[in-house]
Amino acid sequence: MATIQDIGLSAAINILGAVVFLLAFAFLRLQPINDRVYFPKWYLKGARESPSHGGTFVRKFVNLDMRSYLKFLSWMAAALKMPEDELISHSGLDSAVYLRIYLVGIKIFAPISVLAFIVLVPVNWTNDTLQFSKVEHSNVDKLSISNIPVGSKRFIAHLAMAYVFTFWTCYVLLREYGIVANMRLRFLSSEKRRPDQFTVLARNIPPDPDESISELVEHFFLVNHPDHYLTHQVVYNANKLAKLVKEKAKMQNWLDYYQLKFERNASKRPTTKTGFLGCFGTKVDAIEYYTSEIERIENEEAEEREKIVKDPKSVVPAAFVSFRSRWGAAVCAQTQQTSNPTVWLTEWAPEPRDVYWDNLSIPFVSLTVRRLIVAVAFFFLNFFYVIPIAFVQSLANLEGIEKAAPFLKPLIEEPTIKSFIQGFLPGIALKIFLILLPSILMFMSKVEGLTSISSLERRSASKYYIFIFFNVFLASIIAGSALEQLKSYIHQSANEIPRTIGEAIPMKATFFITYTMVDGWAGVAGEILRLKPLVIFHLKNFFLVKTEKDREEAMDPGSIGFDSSEPQIQLYFLLGLVYAAVTPFLLPFVLIFFGFAYVVYRHQIINVYNQEYESAAAFWPSVHGRIITALIVSQLLLLGLLSTKGAGQSTPVLLVLPVVTFYFHKYCKNRYEPTFVKCPLQEAMKKDTLERAREPGFDLKGYLMNAYIHPVFKGDEDDEKFSITDEPETEQVLVATKRQSRRNTPVPSKYNGSESPSLPDIVNDQRL
């Protein structure tokens, strides 16, 4: 169990690590050769050029201006200087609202920390319960609720503070929900024209023997949305073609590398092996080999493109349908299209860069089965991850280590080594075990079949939060308490074990303190250093870059990574709220995390991250809901803890809090959540009216025509093969169709012969 000395050593290590990272960043960011690594966003916007100092060759790589090094912390002030409105214009609403999560943490925990240290710390400290207890403890635990004797009237202070903390948290959340909702409405009303504002995604289109998917979509929407339908783009299954394009790009990189190598040393032709990773197989001329591979892939690519064009089976039963107005799109996206609720399903289309094309080819009927399989796999992942979590907790239990490896006992008993093991090692071990988890959860979300990157990240974030709650939070408490108090459990009667657990749970705060310092202090400082992108950029710059375009592609600005970063933030909300009334000593560590992370991520969002999409803060209801969950969990755990401390009479008083919090959440959900999931028709009509008045002759159909073509087809010579061609608009009495029956449409077909006439024949007939 970590003592004050252990936590002090851990704090020293993590603070030293953070300082080293920050100093390295302050030095590296000033070097001209690293400018594209630490300021890529400005390059992508075309607002920054490579620093040119003139003079000697050295100045192109090293900053020799000594005065700039004296201002090595100026990046902090610069990060805080940009106003929020300018930040939204520069980085988008998603990025600005993401930063508000950190601000919410500061607003909640700054007053709570002050109150807890003024009221609860003296109440806990001025007791000697643990001194005469059989429970293993340290000096830190004397600041917790475990140090108060059973049945003491001092628990009134904790009850009162629980009410204060709950009402303050709800007040902050209510204000922030309102602020973010207004920010979203203002952003949507002031936003420039985007294809997704006029487009819906139609899925599970029922097959028709007489019409192709494209003709069927056109017919259906001309009939059911005659005044608003404009055009559509069917979805092609181009996953195989996308893999070929990706493989060709990889081969091209290798060809560029070997060509550049040959240019630097023309006396020797570069060679490679044809086997795995170029380490096995026959040795061949590298340039000739990769040139031939690219030609082979290009031939396969051409064949696949031709197959997609000619094969009707390449068209999946889904389409992006665009309308003449935002109002028309909003009506279609938010209503049921037919009496059968399982077909012609419509939803708002993601913006083109947000579409996850691989999943559009998944049959809609298989989505339920896929989600069931993923749910089962996620359950077992949670279950089996308990094993490494228990191992992490065993690292903090010196007795367990000494029993497993007796020969290490002399080394472990050294004060410095002992403090390192108990104060630093468990936190870093847990972080290592969690490194691969976000990638695993993102893969699971992709298997579920979600069609946008933003929805994939939100779903993955939800899984990650559940995982953190059960495995990092609950499993660490249960496993850690069991390991530390094993001796007490063995020598006690069964009736005494719940009380022992009640005393032991608050003591796990020391483990979470060490984890907060590892992940929340040193980890955040490591994020700003960007060591991995720095190394990769210079490797690409040296081996692959030939032109300025290549150099721009070598930049890796990255993005916020909502799927992994937001659940980690939620862990600190959970820890802060749970331990606020139990072990207030943890609160300053959480507060420092929120403040430090806010500055670092504000700098990264301004200068580095290039967000992949813009969802207009659609994730905020999830953020709000998870903080509410943490608040209710904190209330229930305090209720259970006090019941083991002989304060059972407080149960009715505490039961009020989760009930009030739940109804507060329902109020916020009903009041604000519709703003994040629906488009008000009033706002859509207002924006349409203003746009028509300002740009009466705008060619909306031309603007939307190719917006939702698969990326592998964009820029092709045969691009028109995958788009709907313009036809002169004619006033038609009936909608042109090849269908022989009245199925799926109320408009009768005037053709009932054995053969269906072609679409042009019908149109010509109606013109007569």
Side-chain angles (χ1 to χ4, degrees):
M1 183 176 294
T3 63
I4 288 286
Q5 291 78 11
D6 302 335
I7 293 175
L9 178 63
S10 178
I13 293 173
N14 286 289
I15 291 173
L16 180 62
V19 169
V20 169
F21 288 152
L22 293 176
L23 290 176
F25 162 73
F27 174 79
L28 292 172
R29 67 185 284 270
L30 295 174
Q31 310 312 312
I33 195 174
N34 298 326
D35 206 56
R36 289 180 180 269
V37 178
Y38 294 108
F39 301 96
K41 188 160 194 168
W42 297 100
Y43 282 93
L44 295 175
K45 286 179 170 287
R48 191 180 181 97
E49 296 180 355
S50 297
S52 176
H53 300 284
T56 62
F57 176 77
V58 176
R59 288 181 180 272
K60 296 180 181 179
F61 302 96
V62 182
N63 184 359
L64 300 179
D65 182 7
M66 293 298 107
R67 289 175 297 180
S68 62
Y69 292 98
L70 299 177
K71 301 177 182 179
F72 66 95
L73 292 178
S74 60
W75 64 271
M76 292 187 177
L80 298 172
K81 189 177 180 180
M82 182 179 283
E84 189 170 62
D85 290 341
E86 186 179 345
L87 180 66
I88 293 172
S89 176
H90 175 69
S91 301
L93 185 64
D94 280 347
S95 298
V97 172
Y98 174 80
L99 288 173
R100 293 198 73 89
I101 304 176
Y102 295 105
L103 283 179
V104 169
I106 296 171
K107 291 177 181 179
I108 289 176
F109 291 113
I112 286 179
S113 299
V114 173
L115 272 176
F117 269 78
I118 291 175
V119 177
L120 296 182
V121 168
V123 170
N124 295 337
W125 179 259
T126 55
N127 281 281
D128 54 4
T129 303
L130 288 177
Q131 185 176 349
F132 302 101
S133 173
K134 297 179 181 179
V135 175
E136 295 288 331
H137 66 278
S138 67
N139 291 333
V140 176
D141 300 318
K142 293 181 179 179
L143 300 174
S144 74
I145 197 173
S146 296
N147 200 34
I148 295 181
V150 174
S152 173
K153 292 184 178 180
R154 294 193 177 205
F155 289 123
I156 295 175
H158 299 83
L159 290 175
M161 287 298 100
Y163 270 83
V164 172
F165 296 163
T166 295
F167 288 126
W168 172 250
T169 302
C170 291
Y171 170 75
V172 172
L173 289 177
L174 181 64
R175 277 184 53 85
E176 284 298 317
Y177 218 148
I179 291 171
V180 174
N182 289 330
M183 289 172 67
R184 176 180 167 88
L185 290 174
R186 287 199 308 270
F187 178 79
L188 293 176
S189 64
S190 62
E191 193 179 25
K192 295 180 181 179
R193 183 187 296 110
R194 291 194 330 193
D196 55 294
Q197 297 169 352
F198 300 88
T199 307
V200 302
L201 174 60
R203 303 188 72 185
N204 209 26
I205 299 171
D208 191 281
D210 300 314
E211 292 183 323
S212 67
I213 294 293
S214 181
E215 292 167 335
L216 185 59
V217 170
E218 182 181 29
H219 182 206
F220 180 86
F221 285 97
L222 278 173
V223 169
N224 296 288
H225 299 268
D227 299 326
H228 303 286
Y229 168 76
L230 181 61
T231 185
H232 71 277
Q233 175 60 55
V234 294
V235 177
Y236 293 89
N237 184 355
N239 292 350
K240 183 178 178 180
L241 179 59
K243 290 179 181 178
L244 290 172
V245 171
K246 187 177 180 181
E247 185 182 358
K248 186 175 76 170
K250 180 182 177 182
M251 293 298 174
Q252 187 63 51
N253 283 338
W254 279 112
L255 179 60
D256 292 343
Y257 163 69
Y258 284 113
Q259 285 178 337
L260 198 59
K261 185 177 180 180
F262 182 63
E263 289 173 6
R264 291 170 179 170
N265 183 13
S267 62
K268 183 180 180 181
R269 295 279 294 184
T271 60
T272 186
K273 292 184 178 181
T274 58
F276 181 69
L277 295 177
C279 299
F280 304 94
T282 308
K283 183 181 286 189
V284 295
D285 183 286
I287 295 177
E288 292 179 358
Y289 172 72
Y290 284 108
T291 301
S292 64
E293 284 295 299
I294 290 173
E295 291 177 357
R296 177 185 61 80
I297 295 172
E298 285 178 344
N299 293 333
E300 292 181 14
E301 185 181 330
E303 292 176 4
E304 184 65 21
R305 288 178 189 274
E306 193 67 23
K307 178 183 175 183
I308 292 173
V309 172
K310 294 182 177 180
D311 187 2
K313 293 181 180 179
S314 296
V315 181
V316 301
F320 291 99
V321 184
S322 298
F323 294 81
R324 301 178 187 276
S325 64
R326 296 173 180 83
W327 190 92
V331 170
C332 181
Q334 297 167 182
T335 55
Q336 182 175 311
Q337 302 305 306
T338 69
S339 57
N340 183 352
T342 64
V343 298
W344 291 105
L345 304 177
T346 55
E347 60 186 79
W348 278 109
E351 59 174 327
R353 60 178 177 164
D354 189 23
V355 177
Y356 188 69
W357 295 94
D358 290 357
N359 281 356
L360 285 175
S361 60
I362 297 174
F364 189 84
V365 293
S366 70
L367 294 183
T368 302
V369 177
R370 283 169 168 263
R371 287 167 186 168
L372 177 61
I373 293 171
V374 168
V376 174
F378 181 63
F379 170 80
F380 282 105
L381 179 67
N382 271 278
F383 181 79
F384 286 109
Y385 236 87
V386 172
I387 297 172
I389 296 298
F391 170 74
V392 168
Q393 291 302 321
S394 70
L395 293 176
N397 182 23
L398 293 181
E399 290 184 3
I401 297 176
E402 290 174 357
K403 288 180 180 178
F407 60 91
L408 292 177
K409 184 173 182 179
L411 180 64
I412 292 174
E413 292 300 328
E414 288 290 326
T416 305
I417 301 298
K418 182 178 180 181
S419 296
F420 175 81
I421 291 174
Q422 292 191 313
F424 179 75
L425 192 58
I428 195 69
L430 179 58
K431 188 167 178 64
I432 291 171
F433 277 121
L434 295 177
I435 285 177
L436 294 177
L437 186 63
S439 300
I440 296 172
L441 298 179
M442 176 57 76
F443 172 77
M444 286 184 169
S445 299
K446 289 178 179 178
V447 171
E448 288 185 90
L450 300 173
T451 57
S452 67
I453 299 172
S454 57
S455 60
L456 282 171
E457 290 199 348
R458 290 196 295 273
R459 182 66 62 87
S460 184
S462 177
K463 290 184 178 69
Y464 198 8
Y465 178 75
I466 294 171
F467 182 92
I468 285 178
F469 178 78
F470 284 104
N471 280 281
V472 177
F473 180 68
L474 288 183
S476 293
I477 288 177
I478 295 170
S481 299
L483 288 169
E484 288 171 359
Q485 310 303 329
L486 188 59
K487 186 184 296 183
S488 300
Y489 294 164
I490 293 174
H491 294 91
Q492 283 183 343
S493 65
N495 295 334
E496 293 293 320
I497 290 179
R499 180 172 297 177
T500 303
I501 294 176
E503 292 178 345
I505 286 177
M507 300 176 190
K508 290 309 298 175
T510 54
F511 166 75
F512 291 119
I513 287 172
T514 61
Y515 180 75
T516 301
M517 289 188 288
V518 170
D519 181 68
W521 296 8
V524 170
E527 173 64 27
I528 203 171
L529 181 59
R530 306 198 76 225
L531 188 59
K532 180 181 175 182
L534 176 69
V535 172
I536 292 175
F537 172 77
H538 285 302
L539 288 174
K540 287 183 177 180
N541 194 36
F542 183 78
F543 291 113
L544 299 176
V545 169
K546 292 182 178 180
T547 64
E548 283 299 314
K549 183 181 179 181
D550 294 337
R551 187 168 285 107
E552 183 173 306
E553 291 176 353
M555 292 190 302
D556 180 21
S559 60
I560 291 172
F562 183 83
D563 58 312
S564 58
S565 58
E566 191 270 344
Q568 289 177 322
I569 302 172
Q570 292 293 344
L571 174 63
Y572 296 107
F573 278 106
L574 179 64
L575 294 178
L577 291 171
V578 166
Y579 282 99
V582 175
T583 309
F585 187 69
L586 180 141
L587 290 174
F589 297 90
V590 171
L591 188 59
I592 290 172
F593 159 76
F594 280 113
F596 182 45
Y598 175 74
V599 176
V600 167
Y601 281 96
R602 207 172 202 272
H603 171 274
Q604 298 295 85
I605 284 170
I606 292 172
N607 298 297
V608 180
Y609 297 148
N610 185 42
Q611 193 65 2
E612 295 181 80
Y613 58 83
E614 178 58 63
S615 69
F619 56 80
W620 190 259
S622 300
V623 173
H624 175 89
R626 287 195 265 272
I627 298 176
I628 289 292
T629 301
L631 185 59
I632 293 176
V633 168
S634 70
Q635 296 159 354
L636 295 177
L637 287 179
L638 181 62
L639 177 65
L641 182 59
L642 291 181
S643 67
T644 68
K645 302 286 286 183
Q649 66 275 14
S650 64
T651 299
V653 180
L654 270 178
L655 274 177
V656 175
L657 288 180
V659 175
V660 170
T661 305
F662 174 75
Y663 279 99
F664 165 77
H665 174 60
K666 287 201 68 174
Y667 167 77
C668 291
K669 187 179 179 70
N670 295 331
R671 171 64 180 85
Y672 294 114
E673 189 170 312
T675 304
F676 294 85
V677 295
K678 295 180 180 179
C679 174
L681 295 181
Q682 181 185 28
E683 295 297 322
M685 180 61 76
K686 185 189 301 182
K687 199 167 177 66
D688 287 333
T689 304
L690 287 173
E691 196 169 87
R692 281 194 290 267
R694 291 170 181 168
E695 302 177 76
F698 181 76
D699 182 15
L700 184 61
K701 190 170 186 177
Y703 173 72
L704 297 172
M705 184 67 65
N706 298 328
Y708 283 95
I709 286 182
H710 197 293
V712 297
F713 300 132
K714 288 188 176 180
D716 288 354
E717 294 179 359
D718 57 347
D719 192 52
E720 294 182 358
K721 295 178 183 178
F722 304 96
S723 62
I724 307 302
T725 56
D726 286 320
E727 295 180 3
E729 294 185 7
T730 59
E731 185 176 350
Q732 300 180 8
V733 179
L734 294 175
V735 176
T737 180
K738 289 183 178 180
R739 187 181 295 117
Q740 301 180 48
S741 66
R742 297 182 57 183
R743 184 177 44 179
N744 298 332
T745 174
V747 178
S749 173
K750 60 187 286 189
Y751 297 93
N752 294 313
S754 59
E755 294 185 2
S756 298
S758 64
L759 197 62
D761 290 340
I762 300 175
V763 174
N764 291 332
D765 185 49
Q766 290 178 346
R767 288 176 180 171
L768 298 176

